[in-house]
Amino acid sequence: MLRTYDAAGRPTLELTSTVQKFMGVASVGWSYTGGAQSGTINDSRFVQYPGCVPYVIVISGQIDVGGYMPQFSISGTTLTWSYRLANAQTYTRPDTTFIYGIF
């Protein structure tokens, strides 16, 4: 456990033994994956440590014409991303970069 205190001795920050493990960064959208509506990333580290929780954090991106960013889900060793609008012929998917890992 990590604790920091201010000059008066009051706790200002407290962290338990749970820490983030950064596993990767990916970019999706028209510049990276073309018109693909969805895709997957397989990484066995999502299940490597029992009790850990996988995460995705968008670090840059734009919203689509419907006002949405890609949706993410993680099940087992697979991270799935998808855009809500399916018509790739008339729709340019906005570029999004995200990091993923476990904590």
Side-chain angles (χ1 to χ4, degrees):
M1 179 182 298
L2 169 69
R3 268 192 200 142
T4 61
Y5 299 89
D6 64 15
R10 294 180 298 250
T12 57
L13 174 69
E14 181 174 300
L15 300 173
T16 64
S17 59
T18 302
V19 294
Q20 169 184 314
K21 180 177 180 80
F22 169 79
M23 293 169 30
V25 61
S27 296
V28 298
W30 200 263
S31 298
Y32 306 102
T33 55
Q37 182 187 355
S38 63
T40 60
I41 296 171
N42 292 301
D43 195 319
S44 62
R45 296 175 294 175
F46 284 129
V47 296
Q48 183 177 7
Y49 304 102
C52 287
V53 177
Y55 70 86
V56 173
I57 300 172
V58 173
I59 56 174
S60 69
Q62 305 163 8
I63 59 172
D64 66 18
V65 295
Y68 303 102
M69 296 185 86
Q71 302 295 303
F72 299 94
S73 66
I74 301 171
S75 178
T77 61
T78 304
L79 180 155
T80 303
W81 57 268
S82 64
Y83 288 92
R84 293 178 71 140
L85 299 177
N87 187 349
Q89 302 301 326
T90 60
Y91 167 58
T92 300
R93 308 204 188 285
D95 294 336
T96 300
T97 300
F98 59 93
I99 62 173
Y100 61 93
I102 56 175
F103 65 88

